Amino acid sequence: MRRFLHALRPLQTLSHTPASTIPTPLRLLSSNSSAAASSDSDSAPAPAPAPAPAADADFDSAEYDLPTPGPAPSRKINNPVSALRKLRFDPSLRARADEALFGKGAAVVVEEDEERSRDVALALLDAALQPPDEEDVDAGEVREEDQMSLSVGIVGAPNAGKSSLTNTMVGTKVSAVSRKTNTTTHEILGVLTKGNTQICFFDTPGLMLGHHGFPYRDVTVRVESAWSSINLYDLLIVMFDVSRHLNMPDSRVIKLIKRLGTEVNPNQRRVLCMNKVDLVEDKKDLLKVAKEFEDLPGYERYFMVSGLKGKGVKDLVQYLMDQAVRRPWEEEPTVMTEEVMKTISLEVVREKMLHHIHQEIPYVIEHRLMDWKELKDGSLRVEQHFITPKQSQRQILVGKNGSKIGRIGIEANEELRSIFKRDVHLILQVRVAKKKSA
Ligand SMILES: Nc1nc2c(ncn2[C@@H]2O[C@H](COP(=O)(O)OP(=O)(O)OP(=O)(O)O)[C@@H](O)[C@H]2O)c(=O)[nH]1
């Protein structure tokens, strides 16, 4: 299990941080990116009232008079889905950018882009934005002998809401990143570190029973090993979609619940979690379902939650925290790293580009972070390049008199300033790729 957790390490800050490059679709955090952006606060110039515009930039935020970022907005977000929606597009930024560039009344066109890769990046962004909980502490502050841990397997049919519940519990921390960490049988869903306690959540795909109430034998070792390894967890959450159960019960889900709840397992606590309670109008129905499973001795507790809306989740988390055992943590708590910020800066600019360039062009453009400097006055200098295969594509992206790239830049700049809560000197350049010599 330790092996899976270590796959999350790329989130650590790198002392020498290479530039990130985003070919489309978005590439997530990686410690082996190419090119050469640097983080070099020592070589940064002394604080200057206004940064000098870059000579050959197509967009330079220094040329625009933008308001100073206000106080850090409170962004305590527990529901990642609504957080993502909020972050996807803020029309006020667009309106302000339009006004700055084209005067009042400029038209606004909004396009929803549902790419999963962006969701992941936005979830990362959300994770990065979350202020630390009061109970959060630096990893260094909790001595190994004081660390408490709990590994939790989540069992449920596809769509039961395992990821949503984990996201809500974890507050998106790590969960988005961990999606990359596919293991043969179990996938880490998220890590919650609070105070001296760390809880790791694992998905257990393939853990379903056939109609006869036995594990599928045919498919594979994968299913078998999923079954044999569930006992490794300290605690098992068996979850199901209670709304679906009321409307269209699935016999396999019922068998799964019963099988896992038939006997008390001396080495593992198990809880039954009725999810999506928000979809059940008549709450008496919930009690009916609870009654249906009340005689199962294997479940120590029953929880009624809405993973998506956060209902009942606090109680569940508290219960889990209380079950933790004295054992060193498997994983460093996630911290906002420079790598995360770089990814965010690329994603925000890319998002703005996708909103403004409605042709296939975004998909042939290479997008690179060329320079990243934290200046002594606390502001950031961020230089990104778009590299287009053809001159005509460059022209479209730059727009008439720089209007397109200006719009992209000004909106992105404003959003980055509000995300990073500091001044950002954003420089964008659009270049045509050099032809490779044969
Ligand atoms: N209304 C409502 N919808 C939910 C809730 N939890 C999850 N959903 C929705 O149910 C769908 C499945 O949720 P996921 O969290 O992806 O479910 P999962 O169990 O991880 O699914 P798999 O990855 O297929 O195993 C998504 O559309 C969620 O938005 C809930 O509490 N209430």
Side-chain angles (χ1 to χ4, degrees), residues 16-22 27 31-39 339 342 346 366-372 383 385 387 431:
H16 173 72
T17 42
S20 307
T21 303
I22 293 195
R27 187 170 57 71
S31 50
N32 59 357
S33 354
S34 58
S38 65
S39 165
E339 279 303 295
K342 286 178 180 176
L346 281 160
E366 200 182 323
H367 180 192
R368 281 193 197 167
L369 178 64
M370 302 303 293
D371 193 35
W372 176 278
E383 181 171 342
H385 288 189
I387 301 153
R431 299 194 271 125

Side-chain angles (χ1 to χ4, degrees), residues 157-164 203 275-276 278-279 306-309:
N159 260 355
K162 301 179 287 292
S163 310
S164 308
D203 193 3
N275 190 31
K276 307 197 188 180
D278 57 295
L279 296 179
S306 167
L308 197 61
K309 312 267 178 197

Side-chain angles (χ1 to χ4, degrees), residues 264-425:
V264 176
N265 180 334
N267 301 317
Q268 183 178 64
R269 293 176 193 279
R270 292 181 179 171
V271 298
L272 186 64
C273 199
M274 297 161 56
N275 190 31
K276 307 197 188 180
V277 296
D278 57 295
L279 296 179
V280 179
E281 270 175 31
D282 187 349
K283 301 301 172 203
K284 281 195 216 110
D285 286 344
L286 294 175
L287 297 176
K288 251 193 330 204
V289 178
K291 240 185 151 28
E292 190 183 335
F293 298 118
E294 74 180 355
D295 293 331
L296 295 169
Y299 298 117
E300 182 164 299
R301 286 279 297 267
Y302 292 72
F303 289 91
M304 295 185 191
V305 302
S306 167
L308 197 61
K309 312 267 178 197
K311 200 169 170 353
V313 174
K314 214 170 151 199
D315 287 348
L316 176 59
V317 170
Q318 189 53 55
Y319 168 80
L320 296 176
M321 302 291 286
D322 294 344
Q323 309 311 316
V325 294
R326 197 165 292 282
R327 193 172 61 215
W329 294 346
E330 302 264 2
E331 185 50 45
E332 308 273 347
T334 319
V335 284
M336 166 74 144
T337 64
E338 200 172 78
E339 279 303 295
V340 174
M341 291 172 78
K342 286 178 180 176
T343 304
I344 288 169
S345 82
L346 281 160
E347 177 53 26
V348 166
V349 173
R350 179 171 177 266
E351 183 192 27
K352 300 302 171 197
M353 175 179 74
L354 286 168
H355 276 127
H356 286 288
I357 309 288
H358 304 296
Q359 304 169 41
E360 70 284 3
I361 295 173
Y363 301 98
V364 297
I365 292 176
E366 200 182 323
H367 180 192
R368 281 193 197 167
L369 178 64
M370 302 303 293
D371 193 35
W372 176 278
K373 275 200 189 88
E374 187 165 350
L375 305 184
K376 281 188 177 145
D377 64 357
S379 66
L380 287 172
R381 183 187 187 279
V382 181
E383 181 171 342
Q384 298 182 8
H385 288 189
F386 291 112
I387 301 153
T388 64
K390 293 183 193 154
Q391 175 65 22
S392 57
Q393 291 158 339
R394 182 191 125 80
Q395 274 159 1
I396 291 170
L397 185 51
V398 172
K400 204 171 176 195
N401 298 325
S403 59
K404 271 273 193 274
I405 194 73
R407 217 191 253 242
I408 293 165
I410 205 163
E411 284 177 22
N413 185 244
E414 198 164 344
E415 191 158 318
L416 289 173
R417 285 150 48 103
S418 89
I419 290 167
F420 297 145
K421 288 139 198 149
R422 56 176 104 176
D423 265 325
V424 177
H425 180 190

Side-chain angles (χ1 to χ4, degrees), residues 155-158 206-216 227 238-240 244-245 248-260 293 299:
V155 182
L207 202 69
M208 282 296 287
L209 294 168
H211 286 283
H212 302 297
F214 294 103
Y216 287 111
W227 273 98
V238 180
M239 83 183 289
F240 66 104
R244 180 165 176 198
H245 180 73
M248 217 194 326
D250 180 337
S251 62
R252 289 167 307 166
V253 171
I254 297 170
K255 280 176 182 139
L256 183 76
I257 295 169
K258 290 193 170 163
R259 185 184 158 125
L260 288 168
F293 298 118
Y299 298 117

